[in-house]
Amino acid sequence: MKRLFVYLAVTFGISWGVWIPLGIVLGTFKTGVESSMIMVAAVAAGMFFPLIGALVANASVPKEERIDLCVKPLIRQNAKSYLLAWFSPALFTLAGAALFFLLFPYLFDPTAAQVAQMAETAGADASAVPAMLAAIILAALTIAPPINSVFAFGEEAGWRGMLFPTLCELMSERKAVLVSGVIWGLWHAPIITMGHNYGMDYVGFPLVGILAMVVACTSLGCLLSWLRLHTGSVWPCALAHGSVNAIGNVGLYFCTTGASLYGPSLLGLVAGIPLFVVAVVCWLHLSAE
């Protein structure tokens, strides 16, 4: 379908066309994405590229062939789903972090040294760490998800607003969510190669990291696609996506090392197991025909 090809060409073309040359110029393929604020900003801006792809894809076909991106919030009809989208990511994030530290107890740091370092940078002493940590977690549970949803909307209008329903025209919902998840994961390939989410210090870098991102995106995509179908809006998807971005790395505050392929970030292969379980449940609720 023309709409599908245009969406993928524009979304990947703009994203990779910005990230790859910029990464080469800034050297972040060697030093990591976080070594350059310009690259960090480019990654953040990239969240809106799928929205651009969706708008261009719709504009490329006759009006009767365009797809409804479902951008109306529909909050009143879906209040419970919004609450689920807002708070459920915290549950499987905390469960995933607990599982990670259960399997790797030597990586657990009960003193939250990373937060202590943040407090020291801010000119506070160690006694401020508990309050600072509580404030971070409280913000991640309350104000951060709706704020993040504005940025996440850029992705969700593309992946769940355009790509997933377009694929559903060609195959079953169960197949469409898997295909869209793989595509979504591969879209991150350049920034994973810059150490985004998993760092660079692991066996099989960066291919194994890209594979891990595909698994994580496919799992999260099952929940987000179910929300899209259940509510008829991409905004609950954006809220859940924003919640994941807000709370998904909370385990790092208690880890003696940074992010790794296995966790404690929600996108890790071990810490992501509870999310995978949720994904299977959501996937089974999708149509097989």
Side-chain angles (χ1 to χ4, degrees), residues 9-262:
V10 172
T11 301
F12 276 78
I14 296 177
S15 304
W16 289 18
V18 170
W19 292 338
I20 294 175
L22 198 57
I24 293 173
V25 171
L26 297 174
T28 48
F29 280 106
K30 294 182 179 179
T31 60
V33 64
E34 294 184 357
S35 65
S36 169
M37 290 305 298
I38 296 176
M39 197 67 229
V40 171
V43 172
M47 297 184 73
F48 290 98
F49 296 158
L51 171 61
I52 295 174
L55 295 175
V56 174
N58 261 347
S60 70
V61 296
K63 189 173 182 179
E64 61 272 13
E65 295 181 19
R66 295 174 186 174
I67 198 164
D68 182 3
L69 299 181
C70 293
V71 298
K72 293 182 179 180
L74 304 177
I75 297 176
R76 181 179 299 178
Q77 304 93 311
N78 298 296
K80 291 182 179 179
S81 295
Y82 271 94
L83 290 174
L84 179 69
W86 194 328
F87 295 108
S88 65
L91 298 177
F92 46 77
T93 293
L94 295 177
L99 177 61
F100 174 83
F101 288 123
L102 182 64
L103 295 178
F104 305 102
Y106 55 91
L107 295 179
F108 182 64
D109 174 22
T111 66
Q114 289 194 37
V115 180
Q117 187 176 5
M118 292 167 59
E120 182 179 352
T121 302
D125 57 33
S127 62
V129 171
M132 196 170 183
L133 183 60
I136 291 172
I137 295 176
L138 180 62
L141 290 172
T142 56
I143 63 173
I147 293 174
N148 288 350
S149 70
V150 175
F151 296 91
F153 170 77
E155 283 200 49
E156 293 308 314
W159 304 122
R160 255 58 63 180
M162 171 61 70
L163 180 60
F164 173 64
T166 297
L167 289 173
C168 286
E169 297 174 355
L170 305 174
M171 60 190 73
S172 70
E173 292 173 356
R174 288 185 179 180
K175 291 180 181 178
V177 76
L178 298 180
V179 173
S180 62
V182 171
I183 293 173
W184 185 26
L186 292 176
W187 176 71
H188 293 83
I191 57 177
I192 296 299
T193 306
M194 298 178 204
H196 187 56
N197 290 322
Y198 304 115
M200 297 178 165
D201 187 21
Y202 55 85
V203 177
F205 170 82
L207 294 179
V208 176
I210 294 172
L211 178 60
M213 194 63 184
V214 167
V215 172
C217 285
T218 302
S219 297
L220 183 57
C222 287
L223 170 61
L224 300 180
S225 296
W226 177 83
L227 281 170
R228 159 67 175 75
L229 291 171
H230 184 69
T231 64
S233 172
V234 296
W235 278 107
C237 309
L239 182 60
H241 191 153
S243 182
V244 166
N245 289 350
I247 196 71
N249 289 324
V250 68
L252 290 174
Y253 296 126
F254 299 94
C255 189
T256 57
T257 62
S260 75
L261 195 63
Y262 303 104

